[in-house]
Coordinates of all heavy atoms in Angstrom, one line a residue:
L48 N -87.0 -98.9 55.2 CA -88.3 -98.4 55.6 C -89.4 -99.1 54.8 O -90.5 -99.4 55.2 CB -88.4 -96.9 55.4 CG -89.7 -96.2 55.8 CD1 -90.0 -96.3 57.2 CD2 -89.6 -94.7 55.4
F49 N -89.1 -99.4 53.5 CA -90.0 -99.9 52.6 C -89.9 -101.4 52.5 O -89.0 -101.9 51.8 CB -89.9 -99.3 51.2 CG -90.3 -97.8 51.1 CD1 -89.3 -96.8 51.4 CD2 -91.6 -97.4 51.0 CE1 -89.8 -95.5 51.5 CE2 -92.0 -96.1 51.0 CZ -91.0 -95.1 51.2
R50 N -90.7 -102.1 53.1 CA -90.6 -103.6 53.3 C -91.5 -104.3 52.2 O -92.5 -103.7 51.8 CB -91.0 -104.0 54.7 CG -90.0 -103.5 55.8 CD -90.6 -103.9 57.2 NE -89.6 -103.5 58.2 CZ -89.7 -103.8 59.5 NH1 -90.8 -104.6 59.9 NH2 -88.9 -103.3 60.3
P51 N -91.1 -105.5 51.9 CA -91.9 -106.3 50.9 C -93.4 -106.4 51.3 O -94.3 -106.5 50.4 CB -91.3 -107.6 50.9 CG -89.9 -107.4 51.3 CD -89.9 -106.3 52.3
E52 N -93.8 -106.4 52.6 CA -95.1 -106.5 53.1 C -96.0 -105.4 52.5 O -97.2 -105.5 52.4 CB -95.1 -106.6 54.6 CG -94.8 -107.8 55.2 CD -93.1 -107.8 55.4 OE1 -92.5 -106.8 54.9 OE2 -92.6 -108.8 56.0
L53 N -95.4 -104.2 52.2 CA -96.1 -103.1 51.6 C -96.8 -103.5 50.3 O -97.9 -103.0 50.1 CB -95.1 -101.9 51.5 CG -95.8 -100.6 51.1 CD1 -96.7 -100.1 52.2 CD2 -94.7 -99.6 50.7
L54 N -96.2 -104.4 49.6 CA -96.8 -104.8 48.3 C -98.1 -105.6 48.5 O -98.8 -105.8 47.5 CB -95.8 -105.5 47.5 CG -94.5 -104.8 47.2 CD1 -93.4 -105.8 46.5 CD2 -94.7 -103.6 46.4
D55 N -98.4 -106.1 49.7 CA -99.5 -106.9 50.0 C -100.7 -106.0 50.1 O -101.9 -106.5 50.1 CB -99.3 -107.8 51.1 CG -98.3 -108.8 51.0 OD1 -98.0 -109.2 49.8 OD2 -97.6 -109.2 51.9
D56 N -100.6 -104.8 50.3 CA -101.7 -103.8 50.5 C -102.4 -103.5 49.2 O -101.8 -102.9 48.3 CB -101.2 -102.6 51.2 CG -102.4 -101.6 51.6 OD1 -103.6 -101.8 51.2 OD2 -102.1 -100.7 52.4
P57 N -103.6 -103.9 49.0 CA -104.3 -103.7 47.7 C -104.6 -102.2 47.4 O -104.9 -101.9 46.3 CB -105.6 -104.6 47.8 CG -105.8 -104.6 49.3 CD -104.5 -104.6 50.0
A58 N -104.5 -101.3 48.4 CA -104.8 -99.9 48.1 C -103.5 -99.1 48.0 O -103.6 -98.0 47.8 CB -105.6 -99.4 49.3
T59 N -102.3 -99.7 48.0 CA -101.0 -99.1 47.9 C -100.3 -99.4 46.7 O -100.2 -100.6 46.4 CB -100.1 -99.3 49.2 OG1 -100.8 -99.0 50.3 CG2 -98.7 -98.6 49.0
F60 N -99.8 -98.4 46.0 CA -99.3 -98.6 44.7 C -97.8 -97.8 44.7 O -97.9 -96.7 44.7 CB -100.1 -98.1 43.5 CG -101.5 -98.8 43.5 CD1 -102.4 -98.4 44.3 CD2 -101.6 -99.9 42.6 CE1 -103.7 -99.1 44.3 CE2 -102.8 -100.6 42.6 CZ -103.9 -100.2 43.4
V61 N -96.8 -98.6 44.6 CA -95.5 -98.0 44.5 C -95.1 -97.7 43.0 O -95.1 -98.7 42.3 CB -94.4 -98.8 45.1 CG1 -93.1 -98.2 45.1 CG2 -94.7 -99.1 46.7
L62 N -94.9 -96.5 42.6 CA -94.7 -96.2 41.2 C -93.2 -95.9 41.0 O -92.7 -95.1 41.7 CB -95.6 -94.9 40.9 CG -97.1 -94.9 41.4 CD1 -97.7 -93.7 41.0 CD2 -97.8 -96.2 40.8
A63 N -92.8 -96.5 39.8 CA -91.4 -96.3 39.5 C -91.2 -95.7 38.2 O -91.8 -96.3 37.2 CB -90.6 -97.6 39.7
G64 N -90.4 -94.6 38.0 CA -90.0 -94.2 36.8 C -88.7 -94.6 36.4 O -87.7 -94.3 37.1
Q65 N -88.5 -95.3 35.2 CA -87.3 -95.9 34.9 C -86.6 -95.3 33.6 O -87.4 -95.0 32.6 CB -87.4 -97.5 34.7 CG -87.9 -98.1 36.0 CD -88.2 -99.5 35.8 OE1 -88.7 -100.0 34.8 NE2 -87.8 -100.3 36.8
S66 N -85.3 -95.3 33.5 CA -84.6 -94.9 32.3 C -84.6 -96.1 31.4 O -85.1 -97.1 31.7 CB -83.2 -94.6 32.7 OG -82.5 -95.7 33.2
A67 N -84.2 -95.9 30.2 CA -84.1 -96.9 29.1 C -83.3 -98.1 29.5 O -83.6 -99.3 29.1 CB -83.6 -96.4 27.9
D68 N -82.4 -98.0 30.4 CA -81.6 -99.1 30.9 C -82.2 -99.8 32.1 O -81.5 -100.6 32.8 CB -80.1 -98.8 31.0 CG -79.8 -97.6 32.0 OD1 -80.9 -97.2 32.6 OD2 -78.7 -97.3 32.2
G69 N -83.3 -99.3 32.6 CA -84.0 -99.9 33.7 C -83.7 -99.4 35.1 O -84.1 -100.0 36.1
R70 N -82.9 -98.3 35.2 CA -82.5 -97.7 36.4 C -83.8 -96.8 37.0 O -84.4 -96.1 36.2 CB -81.3 -96.8 36.3 CG -80.1 -97.5 36.1 CD -78.9 -96.6 36.0 NE -79.0 -95.6 34.9 CZ -78.9 -94.3 35.0 NH1 -78.6 -93.7 36.1 NH2 -79.1 -93.6 33.9
V71 N -84.0 -96.9 38.2 CA -85.1 -96.1 38.8 C -84.6 -94.7 39.1 O -83.7 -94.5 39.9 CB -85.6 -96.7 40.2 CG1 -86.7 -95.8 40.8 CG2 -86.1 -98.2 40.0
L72 N -85.2 -93.7 38.4 CA -84.8 -92.3 38.5 C -85.9 -91.5 39.2 O -85.5 -90.3 39.5 CB -84.5 -91.9 37.1 CG -83.3 -92.5 36.3 CD1 -83.1 -91.8 35.0 CD2 -81.9 -92.5 37.1

């Protein structure tokens, strides 16, 4: 559902919370 084109939208920000080893949690 989440395509790379979403990153081109200047008003959209995908936020990721990561563990110390870099995993998205």
Side-chain angles (χ1 to χ4, degrees):
L48 178 65
F49 293 90
R50 298 181 174 181
E52 290 83 355
L53 188 64
L54 301 176
D55 297 331
D56 186 347
T59 299
F60 300 80
V61 179
L62 312 177
Q65 298 177 320
S66 62
D68 60 1
R70 292 180 299 129
V71 178
L72 298 181

